Amino acid sequence: MTDSATHSAEDIAYVRQLSESGARAPLIGGRFMAWWGLLLTIAYLLHHFALRGDIGDGRSVFAIIWAGFSVSGIAGQLLLARAMPAKPGAGSAGNRASRTVWIAAAAAIASMVVGAALAARNGAGPATFDWIVPVAFAVYACCLIVTGSLAGDRISIAAGAGAVVMVGLFTALILHADRYLLAAAGVAATVLLPGILLMLREPGVRAWADGRRKSVRPQCDRRRHPRPRQAWHRRLSVLGRIRPLPRAARQGRRHRRQFVRPSP
């Protein structure tokens, strides 16, 4: 009765360990964060230079910048998703929530863009688009903090806290001439850099497969079920037993010669 209770407790502890390790699996969406963070940083920098009059005509250049951002982002997202190998922990709570919240985030930001475009066309002016930036950072903060909390990832949580700071900072400086330079720095710090760090921490497929084989391999008792010797091992064993025989024979012959006396 005691043995069965002990085994049951061990099984429960093992299942709990598996569930906790699955819940704390590393986030595997770092490459997508890094890609969108890179594109968004470049787009904000170009927007900043366009506002200063360094590039473009001051009107159509903004449409070109953000149309190129959208097309490049979607194309890169599809290519990265297609080239991404199977990763361990993809079914964990953090990774499943990450896919859902980032899709919802993209839909919310796209809705804000459409609304700002309609408002600007109806007389609100191009300054309406500036309010997309704090809304986007608020969405980033929610996504990063939620997924980081589920996965136990401090990088995502810290990036989410930085995005929260950027919401208030950009809103306070929304009339400043260099506001999009600030937005570019904020995206690089809260999306691009965390994405690179998460990508570097993703588990490798080969290492995971090796660990899975070791965990699945049955642990047999070697005393009851000894591992069969390989053919080369048997040959070496036989040679090891045969090789000392001629040496012992030679030593025996020398010993007999020493004690054999010549006959008179």
Side-chain angles (χ1 to χ4, degrees), residues 30-92:
R31 63 190 66 198
F32 303 107
M33 284 182 57
W35 172 246
W36 285 103
L38 176 62
L39 291 181
L40 194 55
T41 302
I42 295 174
Y44 279 149
L45 288 174
L46 293 176
H47 195 107
H48 169 71
F49 293 130
L51 285 177
R52 292 178 52 183
D54 295 336
I55 58 173
D57 56 358
R59 298 189 63 182
S60 60
V61 64
F62 298 106
I64 294 173
I65 290 172
W66 292 106
F69 164 78
S70 302
V71 173
S72 301
I74 294 174
Q77 175 81 16
L78 296 177
L79 290 176
L80 288 174
R82 185 173 182 179
M84 183 177 180
K87 291 284 186 177
S92 64

Side-chain angles (χ1 to χ4, degrees), residues 113-129:
V113 171
V114 173
L118 293 176
R121 189 173 182 179
N122 292 331
T128 310
F129 291 99

Side-chain angles (χ1 to χ4, degrees), residues 73-142:
I74 294 174
Q77 175 81 16
L78 296 177
L79 290 176
L80 288 174
R82 185 173 182 179
M84 183 177 180
K87 291 284 186 177
S92 64
N95 286 302
R96 286 188 284 114
S98 177
R99 290 189 290 268
T100 304
V101 297
W102 281 109
I103 291 174
I109 295 173
S111 179
M112 180 68 182
V113 171
V114 173
L118 293 176
R121 189 173 182 179
N122 292 331
T128 310
F129 291 99
D130 294 343
W131 292 101
I132 299 175
V133 178
V135 172
F137 275 110
V139 171
Y140 301 157
C142 295

